[in-house]
């Protein structure tokens, strides 16, 4: 005698069709199994054969299961669902047992109440059904509440994760905005200074700035996805061309990118941040300038290694400049190398977690090599 299969519970509010659908073969088998146990226990004190006792307990068990299931799907607001199911089991236990004995006597109530053996049998079966049914019904309710609590906890955790992700996206947007404007303002200040002094190089610098903006603006309007390596290299190339126009005799640069990597997705402004640091804090302070190499190679396991190597003053001699790369009066101050790298590390962590890293190491005889190591794209958050 059981109201429900132990492992799961039906959902409320699905109507009679939902009740019947929830009566799975597993639930029915569970009810028949418990009916068999009760029949074995009661058989020694019953006069009828075991098959008869087993048939009676199976009938009662299936009716209890049906009552419990229907009560769980019943649309009503008067009683809590658990109480409605418990009452259904409590009422169905004597009712189902009465039906069993009425069928066995052809509907003769007197044949039941006037026979002490049948009265005792009724009490044994109804009492067993009531006790076992209520215990299993309440146990099923406890399990259901625990499952609901786990589901609610998972939903809250998912909401917290989504809110954390949204906050992280907002921080990444702020950090990206922090990286980009200073370069534009400083370059415009350079163009202004060249125009005011009548330099013939002003149009060339302006054309390079336009090329940079053409490479940058489509990426700034993307829908939040990561840009391709090809787009980032176009941005780096336009920036280095601008810097070369500013110091043509002191800056040399080259790209060393393996074939087949153009479509790889990389964090926005990651390479450009390293290139800006190499120009401002490596090549620009060096008396003879230097060379910058920008490269990319595929890593085993689907990862990607990006690097920017310069032959500037090196790590020990670097210090943040007071103003932008051209040191033009009125130019906007720029973040220090430490700020730029800290922002870059935070952006990489936001996209890949701890699987990505930024490494700095000195180059012989002087200079710095900065590397970004990215995991396979499928590990991206």
């Amino acid at each position: 005698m059981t109201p429900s299969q132990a492992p799961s519970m039906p959902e409320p509010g699905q109507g009679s069709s939902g009740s019947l659908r929830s009566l799975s073969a597993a639930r029915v088998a569970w009810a028949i199994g418990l009916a068999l146990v009760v029949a074995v226990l009661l058989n020694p004190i019953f006069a009828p054969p075991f098959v008869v006792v087993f048939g009676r307990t199976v009938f009662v068990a299936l009716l209890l299961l049906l009552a419990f299931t229907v009560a769980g799907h019943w649309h009503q607001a008067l009683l809590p669902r658990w109480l409605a199911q418990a009452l259904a089991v409590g009422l169905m236990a004597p009712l189902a047992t009465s039906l069993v004995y009425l069928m066995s006597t052809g509907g003769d109530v007197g044949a039941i109440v006037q026979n002490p053996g049948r009265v005792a049998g009724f009490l044994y079966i109804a009492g067993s059904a009531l006790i076992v049914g209520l215990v299993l019904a309440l146990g099923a309710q406890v399990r259901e509440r625990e499952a609901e609590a786990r589901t609610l906890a998972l939903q809250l955790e998912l909401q917290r994760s989504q809110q954390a992700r949204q906050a992280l996206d907002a921080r990444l947007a702020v950090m990206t905005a922090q990286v980009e404007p200073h370069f534009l303002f400083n370059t415009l200040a350079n163009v202004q200074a060249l125009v005011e002094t009548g330099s013939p190089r002003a149009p060339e610098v302006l054309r390079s700035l336009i090329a940079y903006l053409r490479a940058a603006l489509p990426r700034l309007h993307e829908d939040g996805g990561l840009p391709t390596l090809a787009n980032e290299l176009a941005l780096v190339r336009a920036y280095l061309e601008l810097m070369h126009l500013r110091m043509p005799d002191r800056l040399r640069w080259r790209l060393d990118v393996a074939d087949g990597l153009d479509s790889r997705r990389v964090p926005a402004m990651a390479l450009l941040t390293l290139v800006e640091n190499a120009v401002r804090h490596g090549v620009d302070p060096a008396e003879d300038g230097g060379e910058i190499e920008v490269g990319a190679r595929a890593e085993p396991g689907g990862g990607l290694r990006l690097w920017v190597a310069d032959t500037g003053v090196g790590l020990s001699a670097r210090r943040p400049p007071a103003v932008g790369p051209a040191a033009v009066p009125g130019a906007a101050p720029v973040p220090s190398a430490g700020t730029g790298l800290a922002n870059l590390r935070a952006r990489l962590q936001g996209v890949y977690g701890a699987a990505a890293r930024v490494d700095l190491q000195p180059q012989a005889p002087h200079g710095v090599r900065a590397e970004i190591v990215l995991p396979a794209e499928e590990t991206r958050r």
Side-chain angles (χ1 to χ4, degrees), residues 19 66-76 81 84-89:
S19 302
L66 179 62
F68 181 85
T69 305
V70 171
H73 293 79
W74 183 28
H75 294 276
Q76 55 86 29
R81 180 164 164 258
Q85 290 179 302
L87 288 176
V89 171

Side-chain angles (χ1 to χ4, degrees), residues 211-298:
Y212 173 85
L213 293 176
R214 282 176 177 167
L217 289 179
R219 183 188 55 73
L220 295 177
H221 293 296
E222 286 179 352
D223 60 359
L226 298 184
T228 62
L229 180 59
N231 289 342
E232 290 300 291
L233 289 174
L235 202 59
V236 167
R237 187 182 291 108
Y239 173 82
L240 287 172
E241 288 174 353
L242 275 171
M243 295 300 100
H244 179 70
L245 289 173
R246 184 171 68 81
M247 40 185 178
D249 299 328
R250 302 179 61 248
L251 173 62
R252 301 173 301 281
W253 62 274
R254 62 190 180 93
L255 299 181
D256 181 16
V257 179
D259 295 333
L261 300 179
D262 286 350
S263 61
R264 290 291 298 268
R265 298 286 175 173
V266 297
M269 306 292 290
L271 267 178
L272 185 60
T273 299
L274 298 183
V275 172
E276 286 179 323
N277 281 337
V279 171
R280 295 193 189 104
H281 310 299
V283 174
D284 201 12
E287 183 176 350
D288 299 327
E291 181 180 10
I292 293 178
E293 177 188 272
V294 180
R297 289 287 186 276

Side-chain angles (χ1 to χ4, degrees), residues 12-13 16 23 39 44 57 71 76 80 96 118 153 193-194 218 243 261 304 347:
S16 58
L23 289 176
T57 57
Q76 55 86 29
R118 287 173 177 167
L194 293 174
M243 295 300 100
L261 300 179
L304 184 65
R347 291 160 58 203

Side-chain angles (χ1 to χ4, degrees), residues 341-353:
L341 291 177
N343 283 348
L344 175 58
R345 287 190 173 96
R347 291 160 58 203
L348 291 178
Q349 185 177 11
V351 177
Y352 298 99

Side-chain angles (χ1 to χ4, degrees), residues 1-237:
M1 268 74 44
T2 175
S4 170
Q5 182 192 5
S8 59
M9 292 288 296
E11 293 298 327
Q14 296 177 351
S16 58
S17 60
S19 302
L20 296 178
R21 283 196 302 268
S22 65
L23 289 176
S24 62
R27 290 177 181 272
V28 173
W30 183 266
I32 294 174
L34 283 177
L36 176 61
V37 173
V38 173
V40 170
L41 295 176
L42 294 180
N43 186 61
I45 60 176
F46 272 68
F50 173 77
V51 174
V52 175
V53 178
F54 177 54
R56 293 174 180 177
T57 57
V58 167
F59 181 81
V60 173
L62 293 179
L63 285 184
L64 287 180
L65 174 61
L66 179 62
F68 181 85
T69 305
V70 171
H73 293 79
W74 183 28
H75 294 276
Q76 55 86 29
L78 297 177
L79 299 174
R81 180 164 164 258
W82 69 268
L83 182 56
Q85 290 179 302
L87 288 176
V89 171
L91 294 175
M92 182 56 70
L95 178 60
T97 309
S98 299
L99 290 176
V100 166
Y101 278 89
L102 285 173
M103 288 187 295
S104 66
T105 60
D108 187 353
V109 177
I112 300 174
V113 298
Q114 294 174 5
N115 188 322
R118 287 173 177 167
V119 172
F122 173 87
L123 294 176
Y124 277 120
I125 293 178
S128 300
L130 184 63
I131 294 172
V132 175
L134 287 178
V135 168
L136 292 178
L138 295 177
Q141 290 290 345
V142 170
R143 289 191 297 274
E144 182 183 13
R145 294 298 176 89
E146 291 175 349
E148 290 175 351
R150 289 193 297 270
T151 301
L152 180 59
L154 290 175
Q155 290 175 346
L156 292 176
E157 182 63 28
L158 178 60
Q159 291 177 356
R160 284 194 293 267
S161 299
Q162 291 174 342
Q163 292 171 353
R165 178 62 183 270
Q166 292 171 354
L168 179 59
D169 290 342
R171 290 197 298 271
L172 295 183
V174 170
M175 288 187 289
T176 300
Q178 180 183 356
V179 172
E180 295 172 357
H182 76 268
F183 167 71
L184 177 60
F185 291 138
N186 282 327
T187 304
L188 289 174
N190 290 335
V191 173
Q192 180 183 8
L194 293 174
V195 170
E196 289 176 350
T197 58
S199 172
R201 296 176 54 238
E204 189 175 1
V205 174
L206 187 58
R207 282 194 296 270
S208 296
L209 176 60
I210 292 173
Y212 173 85
L213 293 176
R214 282 176 177 167
L217 289 179
R219 183 188 55 73
L220 295 177
H221 293 296
E222 286 179 352
D223 60 359
L226 298 184
T228 62
L229 180 59
N231 289 342
E232 290 300 291
L233 289 174
L235 202 59
V236 167
R237 187 182 291 108

